[in-house]
């Protein structure tokens, strides 16, 4: 179908503004530029609480925000451990705060948003190590934060979806905390630019191939790291035994095909997998709920899957 008219209008406004693309900026400059998208996230829903905490991580203290949904039922709740997007270089908990408040309320679950270390200051595997440590911390300290450690999910968008998939792999292979569901929102799954969706959508739809190359070059210490299944989950030979998955993609996203390929491989490996492509949508629509009605539809759908996983 055609691109969402709202997305087309946003892209036109950005083109008219004439700001340089992220790949022409330093990481520090790109982080400042990306803050402009916060205004598109929408209003902040009221939750029972949003508590900032830290725990000792593999490279120092890791900050998290623990969301408790409005009108939370009594007793410990299921919990989604969430990793923000931003190409491993950008992003923070603030950028996904409005989205996660809505999701926590709709799913009636706890959400723990993780402030992992960023590249290029901290290259692979440092961000992943923080994300896995966050899952372990939630599982080990569930009682103190009102979480049922037997009802855990991981999730993230874009690079955060990549990290969530890698955390699920590590949890399986390292006999870590049991995960009920992995929520992968237009995830990065392969260090590769040869897909049809890159050819179709790699220039004019917010996220570009040039930007992805910039992100990858900051995240990886060496090109061979791109073949590591913890970097490129699509390359993992054995996907059996991984948690049930929800995989969302956008039609006009260069990451569309690799996300859908990962969902297909999970399903082929016997992993219960729900796949949904959001027609007409560009990358990053999920966290721009103030602009895109599709974000609300995606969050409501994700909440439904989380409720089922935690029942």
């Amino acid at each position: 179908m055609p691109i969402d008219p709202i997305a087309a209008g946003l892209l036109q406004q950005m083109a008219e503004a004439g700001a340089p693309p992220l790949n022409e900026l330093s990481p520090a400059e790109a982080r400042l530029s990306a803050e402009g998208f916060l205004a598109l996230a929408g209003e902040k829903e009221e939750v029972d609480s949003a508590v900032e905490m830290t725990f000792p991580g593999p490279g120092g203290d890791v900050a998290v925000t623990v969301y408790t949904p409005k009108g939370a039922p009594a007793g410990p709740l299921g919990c989604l451990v969430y990793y923000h997007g931003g190409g491993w270089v950008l992003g923070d908990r603030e950028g996904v705060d409005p989205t996660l408040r809505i999701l926590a309320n709709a799913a009636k679950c706890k959400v723990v948003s993780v402030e992992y270390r960023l590249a290029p200051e901290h290259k692979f595997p440092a961000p992943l190590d923080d994300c896995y440590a966050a899952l372990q911390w939630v599982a080990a300290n569930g009682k103190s934060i009102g979480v049922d450690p037997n009802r855990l999910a991981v999730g993230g968008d874009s690079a955060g979806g990549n990290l969530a998939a890698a955390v699920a792999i590590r949890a399986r292979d390292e006999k870590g905390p049991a995960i009920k569901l992995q929520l992968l929102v237009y995830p990065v799954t392969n260090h590769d630019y040869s897909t049809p969706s890159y050819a179709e959508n790699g220039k004019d739809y917010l996220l570009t191939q040039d930007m992805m190359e910039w992100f990858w070059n900051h995240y990886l210490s060496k090109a061979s790291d791109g073949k590591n299944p913890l970097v490129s989950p699509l390359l993992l030979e054995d996907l059996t035994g991984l948690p049930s998955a929800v995989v969302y993609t956008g039609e006009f996203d260069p990451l569309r095909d690799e996300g859908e390929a990962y969902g297909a491989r999970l399903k082929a490996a016997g992993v219960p997998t729900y796949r949904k492509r959001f027609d007409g949508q560009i990358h990053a629509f999920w966290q721009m709920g103030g602009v895109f009605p599709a974000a609300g539809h995606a969050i409501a759908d994700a909440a439904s899957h989380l409720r089922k996983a935690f029942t």
Side-chain angles (χ1 to χ4, degrees), residues 75-80 108-111 146-148 150-153 310:
L77 302 178
C79 179
L80 169 67
K108 295 299 180 188
C109 72
K110 294 269 188 173
V111 177
V147 166
D148 180 353
N150 296 311
R151 292 188 288 161
L152 301 178
F310 292 150

Side-chain angles (χ1 to χ4, degrees), residues 84-154:
H84 66 78
W88 311 279
V89 177
L90 317 175
D92 53 25
R93 288 171 294 152
E94 183 181 2
V96 291
D97 177 69
T99 299
L100 297 186
R101 287 169 175 265
I102 297 169
L103 185 57
N105 283 340
K108 295 299 180 188
C109 72
K110 294 269 188 173
V111 177
V112 174
S113 182
V114 182
E115 194 86 31
Y116 54 86
R117 287 172 289 173
L118 296 177
E121 296 87 348
H122 305 283
K123 293 179 178 286
F124 171 80
L128 173 58
D129 288 343
D130 286 353
C131 291
Y132 187 63
L135 173 69
Q136 293 177 307
W137 176 78
V138 171
N141 296 275
K143 278 191 175 181
S144 66
I145 58 173
V147 166
D148 180 353
N150 296 311
R151 292 188 288 161
L152 301 178
V154 295

Side-chain angles (χ1 to χ4, degrees), residues 244-255:
S244 298
V246 171
V247 183
Y248 296 145
T249 56
E251 181 181 7
F252 290 89
D253 186 344
L255 305 183

Side-chain angles (χ1 to χ4, degrees), residues 38-52:
L38 289 174
L40 307 180
E43 298 291 331
K44 291 187 177 184
E45 277 194 6
E46 181 182 349
V47 292
D48 267 7
S49 63
V51 180
E52 295 188 359

